[in-house]
Amino acid sequence: QRVMGSSDGVAFESSDSVSIYVCEPTPEEPTPEESAVNVVFNLQTDEYPEETSWALIEFLGENGDYTYIKSDGKGYPTYEGDKFEANTLYSEAFELKRCAIYVLMVFDNVFDGLSGIYTPGYFEV
């Protein structure tokens, strides 16, 4: 699923997310490879990459508990990460548990999404 950042205002403003849930049938006693799902997250930055951050979380139950799986470290949950470069494609691969619920969130701290003036960005899973 691709989420575009465009200057026409259709894209997200402060944040957007993609839900990830894969629960294909597996053998009764799956090997570690059969009980995991490989997912690739692509982030194409616009010309203002310092505004962008992301986080992958796993929901742990119906009461709303969750845990951070990974983040870029730029404020979700802590600020200690590297800055992104402008107009650059970043890819991150994850091995996720099958039949678990994940949400990949992308944030923009200036509330204009990945809209860039000349080169809009996007993210996809």
Side-chain angles (χ1 to χ4, degrees), residues 49-104:
E50 67 279 2
E51 301 173 359
T52 305
S53 58
W54 63 269
L56 176 67
I57 63 170
E58 177 186 1
F59 283 97
L60 301 176
E62 294 180 15
N63 62 357
D65 290 341
Y66 62 90
T67 186
Y68 280 94
I69 302 301
K70 178 114 187 206
S71 78
D72 64 4
K74 290 177 58 182
Y76 303 95
T78 61
Y79 184 86
E80 56 189 56
D82 296 326
K83 283 178 46 176
F84 294 122
E85 297 293 326
N87 305 315
T88 303
L89 178 63
Y90 293 90
S91 291
E92 182 94 25
F94 301 103
E95 187 175 279
L96 305 178
K97 292 183 286 189
R98 191 176 301 278
C99 300
I101 299 172
Y102 297 91
V103 175
L104 176 75

